Amino acid sequence: MSTSDRLIESTRELLWERGYVGTSPKAILERSGAGQGSMYHHFKGKQDLALAAIRRTAEEMRATAAGVLDGPGTPYERIARYLRREREVLRGCPVGRLTMDPDVIADDELRAPVDETLDWLRERLAGIVEEGREQGEFAAGLDGESVAATIVATLQGGYVLARASGSPGAFDASVRGLLSLLAPRDDTRTSSRPPTGTST
């Protein structure tokens, strides 16, 4: 791994663990094992490095989600597979947690990849819900955009509840509840199955 990649990966981890303020240049250099001055050789400074780290995290989240949502199966099965995929629940969502970081939200440039990723996820989920509605799998009255917003809100809220309780059980319960509401009436194959993973 190149020095710039080590710096980006270390910054990604620190942002997830400590937030922007807690991610000091010293901590980044210690975590990456890079020599002093390396950060300023490859990046303009902490903000520039943080932006590269956030963009990479956002790209990874989109790629992971697309790999599941664009896979085989009915719309319901693909949504269920996405909700049940393995996640590090107690660490929180690496993108969602950035929305609670005032320094990230106050910076238009840092906030942009976070906002774009969540918009992308809602749009992709809305398309799948509409696909299911057109195929008759979901109720005709369902609104794709509203359901997609509910799915994202349930995921992010599930992380908060799990972290507050110190147990992934709250996240799992949120997923089960949402899937039971979405499950086609004539198909209970997946609505009662517990999540396979307890950790986005």
Side-chain angles (χ1 to χ4, degrees):
M1 189 181 294
S2 68
T3 300
S4 61
D5 279 334
R6 293 206 316 272
L7 287 165
I8 290 171
E9 290 302 313
S10 297
T11 303
R12 290 178 63 194
E13 287 292 317
L14 288 165
L15 286 171
W16 197 1
E17 294 169 12
R18 307 180 185 181
Y20 187 78
V21 171
T23 302
S24 66
K26 180 180 178 181
I28 294 169
L29 292 174
E30 288 177 350
R31 179 72 62 95
S32 66
Q36 191 169 6
S38 296
M39 177 187 297
Y40 301 99
H41 174 73
H42 294 283
F43 303 95
K44 296 175 184 176
K46 174 183 168 179
Q47 195 265 4
D48 189 38
L49 176 52
L51 179 59
I54 292 171
R55 282 176 174 164
R56 184 173 293 184
T57 295
E59 289 167 3
E60 184 179 276
M61 179 177 171
R62 288 195 297 270
T64 299
V68 178
L69 295 174
D70 296 341
T74 67
Y76 176 83
E77 289 169 345
R78 284 145 58 201
I79 290 172
R81 195 178 304 121
Y82 172 68
L83 289 171
R84 290 176 172 140
R85 77 175 186 79
E86 196 73 19
R87 290 173 164 86
E88 293 186 68
V89 172
L90 296 181
R91 293 187 71 188
C93 174
V95 171
R97 286 193 67 183
L98 293 170
T99 65
M100 296 182 283
D101 192 317
D103 294 278
V104 172
I105 296 304
D107 187 312
D108 290 343
E109 200 169 9
L110 293 178
R111 187 179 70 249
V114 176
D115 192 28
E116 290 164 4
T117 298
L118 294 175
D119 280 347
W120 174 89
L121 181 58
R122 285 192 296 267
E123 182 178 340
R124 187 70 192 92
L125 287 166
I128 295 173
V129 172
E130 291 297 329
E131 180 185 338
R133 189 177 59 78
E134 291 169 3
Q135 294 174 2
E137 185 177 28
F138 296 138
L142 283 184
D143 176 71
E145 291 184 3
S146 297
V147 174
T150 300
I151 293 171
V152 175
T154 299
L155 281 175
Q156 296 302 323
Y159 282 118
V160 172
L161 293 174
R163 286 173 60 81
S165 65
S167 169
F171 181 94
D172 295 345
S174 299
V175 168
R176 286 196 300 270
L178 179 58
L179 288 176
S180 69
L181 294 173
L182 287 177
R185 291 181 181 179
D186 60 347
D187 185 357
T188 58
R189 288 172 300 169
T190 55
S191 61
S192 61
R193 188 188 312 157
T196 57
T198 57
S199 57
T200 269

